[in-house]
């Protein structure tokens, strides 16, 4: 299952334009100033904040990617994804239906996720030697095929960072093109691991190459790097998405991941998307937040809105 609008046209490979890639520059000082303006402004309050937080829940890829994952943990994650808020909060907010955007798991955990979700939500699987991406190409492609066959409708791939660091854009393009082909009808999110890419120009160029090769989403991080999602990196990436749409007509999604754990940070990313790309991108088929603990903080904030009091984390079901 994918959360896709019927009229949405999926991104297609458009061919690698090295002339365009080589001329890309990023004004880091201007990027940092714009990012600081987002981080420092006052957030929306009261019922407006509650509405935005409910919107944020719909964008979450609820994630568990631990070496100690078990089928039981994944089953709990899936139940939480399908019922992210307690019944009393749902009633108080006037909500009858609500779910996260998807769940995100390792390949081995697709089967228990399928058993619980039964087609009601998309299942995303991390692939291609996640998180380092340093297995053979044959292994990476086979891993994608196996995950799709097991029931994953979205594949979060990791690019080979050395291609970016060495400026091997044609090799990166060919790699991404092969991943897209292996995914078939499953949508592919290209994880750039931006914390490993050293410069904003590399982030922008890698974003463009992956989109040119047909990526449905570009994603900041695996969550395993030393530095994961940041507002300056997100700003750089969403501006490449805007430019790509202006040039090709294709809409590509964006997914920040790693370290997005507070309701306040989620609101910053929603604001960024609204101001840089518009309301059209504030939909699960074009925006996701990869997170594991974010949902708990959002639920606490919504309980405060309803009751006037903050509750302890342990009062909220953990995925």
């Amino acid at each position: 299952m994918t959360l896709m609008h019927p009229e949405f046209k999926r991104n297609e490979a458009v061919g690698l334009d090295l002339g365009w890639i080589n001329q890309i520059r990023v004004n880091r000082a201007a990027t940092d100033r714009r990012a600081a303006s987002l981080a420092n402004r006052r957030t929306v309050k009261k019922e407006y904040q509650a509405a935005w937080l409910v919107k944020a829940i719909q964008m979450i890829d609820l994630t568990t990617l631990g070496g100690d994952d078990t089928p039981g943990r994944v089953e709990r994650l899936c139940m939480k994804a399908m019922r992210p808020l307690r019944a009393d909060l749902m009633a108080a907010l006037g909500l009858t239906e609500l779910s996260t955007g998807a769940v995100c798991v390792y390949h081995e955990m697709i089967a228990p996720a399928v058993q619980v979700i039964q087609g009601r939500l998309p299942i995303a699987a991390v692939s291609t030697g996640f998180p380092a991406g340093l297995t053979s190409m044959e292994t990476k492609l086979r891993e994608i095929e196996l995950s799709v066959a097991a029931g994953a409708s979205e594949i979060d791939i990791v690019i080979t960072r050395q291609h970016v660091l060495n400026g091997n854009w044609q090799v990166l393009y060919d790699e991404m093109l092969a991943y897209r082909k292996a995914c078939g009808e499953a949508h592919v999110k290209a994880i750039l691991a931006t914390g490993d890419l050293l410069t904003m120009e590399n982030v922008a160029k890698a974003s463009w190459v992956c989109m040119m090769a047909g990526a449905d989403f570009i994603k900041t991080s695996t969550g395993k790097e030393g530095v994961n999602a940041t507002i300056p990196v997100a700003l750089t990436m969403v501006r490449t998405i805007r430019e790509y749409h202006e040039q090709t007509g294709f809409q590509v999604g964006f997914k920040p991941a790693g370290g997005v754990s507070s309701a306040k940070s989620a609101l910053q990313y929603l604001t960024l998307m609204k101001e840089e790309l518009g309301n059209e991108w504030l939909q699960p088929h074009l925006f996701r937040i990869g997170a594991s603990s974010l949902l708990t903080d959002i639920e606490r904030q919504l309980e405060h809105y309803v009751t006037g009091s903050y509750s302890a984390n342990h009062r909220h079901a953990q995925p």
Side-chain angles (χ1 to χ4, degrees), residues 52 55-56 59 266-274 282 287:
W52 275 81
K55 171 71 77 172
M59 308 299 168
L267 290 173
Q268 290 174 355
Y269 283 105
L270 284 168
T271 302
L272 172 65
M273 296 298 288
K274 178 179 174 64
L282 290 176
F287 180 50

Side-chain angles (χ1 to χ4, degrees), residues 168-205:
N168 292 331
W169 304 117
Q170 184 67 59
V171 180
L172 177 62
Y173 177 86
D174 292 342
E175 177 183 84
M176 186 67 233
L177 202 64
Y179 294 157
R180 165 66 191 271
K181 182 178 180 181
C183 285
E185 294 301 312
H187 283 218
V188 56
K189 306 191 197 89
I191 309 173
L192 304 187
T194 55
D196 291 342
L197 300 188
L198 301 183
T199 70
M200 286 297 186
E201 280 82 7
N202 280 345
V203 170
K205 290 176 181 181

Side-chain angles (χ1 to χ4, degrees), residues 230-249:
T230 68
I231 294 295
V233 160
L235 180 60
T236 299
M237 293 174 69
V238 300
R239 285 181 170 174
T240 67
I241 289 172
R242 185 176 65 199
E243 292 168 354
Y244 183 79
H245 177 242
E246 289 170 352
Q247 290 203 21
T248 69

Side-chain angles (χ1 to χ4, degrees), residues 5-284:
H5 287 190
E7 69 277 9
F8 181 78
K9 186 177 181 181
R10 188 179 180 188
N11 185 31
E12 298 174 3
V14 296
L16 178 63
D17 184 344
L18 287 174
W20 179 266
I21 298 300
N22 290 330
Q23 61 82 41
I24 289 174
R25 300 291 184 271
V26 177
N27 185 328
R28 182 59 191 264
T31 299
D32 287 343
R33 285 196 300 271
R34 171 70 171 125
S37 75
L38 287 165
N40 295 331
R41 73 176 56 178
R42 295 180 64 185
T43 60
V44 291
K45 300 295 183 182
K46 299 183 179 179
E47 67 269 23
Y48 302 103
Q49 184 182 83
W52 275 81
L53 291 177
V54 169
K55 171 71 77 172
I57 290 173
Q58 297 172 309
M59 308 299 168
I60 293 175
D61 276 5
L62 196 59
T63 302
T64 182
L65 296 171
D68 57 350
D69 281 347
T70 64
R73 173 181 291 178
V74 170
E75 289 166 6
R76 292 192 299 273
L77 181 90
C78 294
M79 292 300 295
K80 186 66 174 175
M82 291 188 292
R83 293 189 175 184
L85 292 180
R86 298 197 318 260
D88 60 316
L89 294 180
M90 290 282 288
L93 293 168
L95 300 172
T96 56
E97 294 183 5
L98 182 65
S99 69
T100 66
V103 296
C104 184
V105 297
Y106 278 115
H107 170 81
E108 289 299 311
M109 295 296 139
I110 295 173
V114 168
Q115 187 172 6
V116 174
I117 288 178
Q118 297 182 358
R120 287 171 284 184
L121 281 181
I123 297 171
V126 295
S127 193
T128 63
F130 180 95
L134 292 177
T135 54
S136 71
M137 193 63 178
E138 181 182 10
T139 299
K140 292 175 183 179
L141 295 177
R142 185 58 178 151
E143 187 180 6
I144 291 172
E145 293 166 353
L146 289 171
S147 291
V148 172
S153 56
E154 300 176 2
I155 303 294
D156 289 29
I157 63 94
V158 289
I159 66 169
T160 303
R161 275 76 110 187
Q162 63 176 304
H163 299 332
V164 178
L165 298 175
N166 293 329
N168 292 331
W169 304 117
Q170 184 67 59
V171 180
L172 177 62
Y173 177 86
D174 292 342
E175 177 183 84
M176 186 67 233
L177 202 64
Y179 294 157
R180 165 66 191 271
K181 182 178 180 181
C183 285
E185 294 301 312
H187 283 218
V188 56
K189 306 191 197 89
I191 309 173
L192 304 187
T194 55
D196 291 342
L197 300 188
L198 301 183
T199 70
M200 286 297 186
E201 280 82 7
N202 280 345
V203 170
K205 290 176 181 181
S207 298
W208 266 95
V209 172
C210 288
M211 291 188 292
M212 287 174 170
D216 296 293
F217 267 71
I218 51 174
K219 175 179 171 182
T220 61
S221 319
T222 66
K224 310 295 185 181
E225 291 84 54
V227 177
N228 293 291
T230 68
I231 294 295
V233 160
L235 180 60
T236 299
M237 293 174 69
V238 300
R239 285 181 170 174
T240 67
I241 289 172
R242 185 176 65 199
E243 292 168 354
Y244 183 79
H245 177 242
E246 289 170 352
Q247 290 203 21
T248 69
F250 292 118
Q251 293 175 293
V252 175
F254 175 64
K255 179 178 174 180
V260 187
S261 58
S262 69
K264 181 179 179 179
S265 62
L267 290 173
Q268 290 174 355
Y269 283 105
L270 284 168
T271 302
L272 172 65
M273 296 298 288
K274 178 179 174 64
E275 294 188 357
E276 293 290 332
L277 292 172
N279 289 335
E280 193 173 358
W281 258 265
L282 290 176
Q283 303 293 334

